Amino acid sequence: MRSLKERMYSFLYGRNGPDELYKFCLYSCFALLILNFILGLFRVPAVVTRIISIAELALLGYSIFRLLSKNVYKRRAENEAFLKIKRNSAVFGWFKLCINRFKYRKTHIYTKCPQCRRMLRLPRVSGNHGVRCPGCGNNFDITIR
């Protein structure tokens, strides 16, 4: 008798499996689920909650389809297109910056270059420091407390 783990491995063999687009679809589905719950608390019209529910089911169905698909080449191409959009998107970059600012809040500070407005990450060392922007080469002073 094979274990459940071995049966799952044999079932998923040759299938696409989880990738970045799959994760994004699941996270979006979860966010819509929470949004739908909150809107239900505020007694939003039923049409709005039904539309959100349909979007949730569509995302969940698409993510399961991607997970179990045996056409790995097409799913890989879809994932690559998503990753290309993700790399060039300002929204994803903003979320990543927020996560990093929270993650490194004790060891680093984030400041913008006054000339080119590029975000710079500097070590959190108290005192006055001279900073050179790697983007534009501008030199400016900063005080870290």
Side-chain angles (χ1 to χ4, degrees):
M1 186 78 180
R2 295 186 315 176
S3 69
L4 179 63
K5 186 176 182 181
E6 291 172 348
R7 285 187 280 176
M8 287 299 293
Y9 280 144
S10 66
F11 175 72
L12 291 175
Y13 181 76
R15 296 181 190 271
N16 186 48
D19 55 8
E20 290 296 315
L21 182 54
Y22 166 79
K23 292 177 192 175
F24 177 76
C25 288
L26 279 184
Y27 294 152
S28 300
C29 183
F30 184 68
L32 286 175
L33 182 71
I34 292 173
L35 177 68
N36 204 6
F37 176 74
I38 291 171
L39 291 177
L41 292 176
F42 291 112
R43 306 213 186 264
V44 174
V47 174
V48 176
T49 58
R50 284 191 189 120
I51 291 172
I52 294 174
S53 296
I54 291 170
E56 288 171 25
L57 289 174
L59 275 173
L60 185 62
Y62 182 65
S63 62
I64 291 172
F65 165 75
R66 285 189 51 76
L67 179 71
L68 300 178
S69 175
K70 286 192 172 187
N71 193 346
V72 177
Y73 300 109
K74 282 191 177 181
R75 302 297 87 79
R76 187 174 294 158
E78 292 169 358
N79 192 48
E80 287 298 321
F82 170 73
L83 290 176
K84 186 177 179 182
I85 292 169
K86 184 179 172 182
R87 271 192 299 272
N88 298 331
S89 174
V91 174
F92 283 104
W94 182 80
F95 276 115
K96 186 172 182 176
L97 176 66
C98 290
I99 289 169
N100 283 340
R101 286 181 83 157
F102 182 76
K103 189 177 190 181
Y104 301 114
R105 69 188 179 278
K106 293 183 180 179
T107 58
H108 292 83
I109 64 161
Y110 288 80
T111 187
K112 287 187 178 182
C113 171
Q115 185 171 342
C116 67
R117 309 300 294 164
R118 182 175 176 174
M119 187 62 72
L120 305 174
R121 184 178 88 151
L122 305 170
R124 189 180 290 274
V125 179
S126 298
N128 294 328
H129 303 283
V131 179
R132 183 174 186 269
C133 176
C136 64
N138 180 32
N139 292 316
F140 60 96
D141 294 324
I142 188 168
T143 303
I144 301 174
R145 296 180 184 127

